[in-house]
Amino acid sequence: MRKKNKELQQIKILHKEAVKVLKNAYSPYSKKRVGSSLITEKGHIFSGCNIENASYGGTVCAERVAIFKAVSETAMKQIRHIVVVTEEKKPWTPCGFCRQVIAEFGHPTKTQIHIANREKIVETFSLGELLPEAFQKSDLK
Ligand code: THU
């Protein structure tokens, strides 16, 4: 299979997986369900849903749940694609915290962020488009 076709197939699988975990969202406060699924540079796939907390501040977004699973299970270094599914009319882009965490494990042009509803991916951005001039680990050297 050609590289482009293979990537399109992978993105389709990520969308399906992100939709699958929507039902697990723990969101008694906002009542908003979010699902996310990513593929790492090594081809591993991880998914996550949003997990809210009575303290509100302890809430973790779906994207970060998927990312933290990927890091703790496979020592993931780089996200290739990450899909975010919501049930909103206008699909949500990742929040600022999530953009910063994606940047920690991403590349400005190689990491692609796909926002979607249950039916399909609606828009795709590079990490650099969503978080230009990111503060990053190289700044700490
Ligand atoms: N949420 C996500 O899971 N991802 C985002 O990118 C935006 C917000 C969740 C957090 C909270 O549970 C609910 O959506 C409302 O903010």
Side-chain angles (χ1 to χ4, degrees):
M1 208 186 291
R2 284 176 49 215
K3 190 166 174 264
K4 255 258 137 1
N5 277 345
K6 194 180 165 197
E7 275 198 286
L8 286 175
Q9 276 304 111
Q10 288 173 335
I11 295 163
K12 249 191 183 164
I13 292 169
L14 294 182
H15 179 253
K16 214 170 149 189
E17 293 300 310
V19 170
K20 211 190 273 176
V21 295
L22 268 183
K23 66 177 184 310
N24 301 330
Y26 177 75
S27 50
Y29 309 107
S30 75
K31 312 272 198 289
K32 301 286 190 184
R33 282 192 286 243
V34 186
S36 181
S37 194
L38 63 81
I39 186 160
T40 71
E41 82 283 8
K42 289 186 183 159
H44 296 123
I45 291 177
F46 288 93
S47 306
C49 61
N50 53 330
I51 305 174
E52 297 188 344
N53 189 272
S55 71
Y56 290 17
T59 293
V60 188
C61 293
E63 297 93 312
R64 274 177 286 154
V65 172
I67 293 167
F68 296 157
K69 283 168 69 179
V71 174
S72 63
E73 295 296 317
T74 68
M76 183 251 307
K77 294 282 181 290
Q78 200 167 108
I79 301 164
R80 282 289 298 120
H81 297 277
I82 181 162
V83 171
V84 189
V85 173
T86 55
E87 299 170 298
E88 307 302 309
K89 256 208 185 109
K90 185 178 183 294
W92 291 356
T93 54
C95 78
F97 290 116
C98 289
R99 291 180 199 203
Q100 186 67 39
V101 175
I102 295 168
E104 189 71 27
F105 302 101
H107 181 278
T109 56
K110 288 184 201 156
T111 299
Q112 302 285 307
I113 300 158
H114 310 271
I115 61 168
N117 53 35
R118 276 184 179 274
E119 283 69 48
K120 60 177 194 319
I121 285 165
V122 174
E123 218 172 336
T124 296
F125 302 94
S126 67
L127 169 61
E129 285 177 298
L130 290 190
L131 193 64
E133 302 299 324
F135 174 72
Q136 54 207 331
K137 44 186 173 279
S138 56
D139 292 316
L140 293 172
K141 281 189 184 139

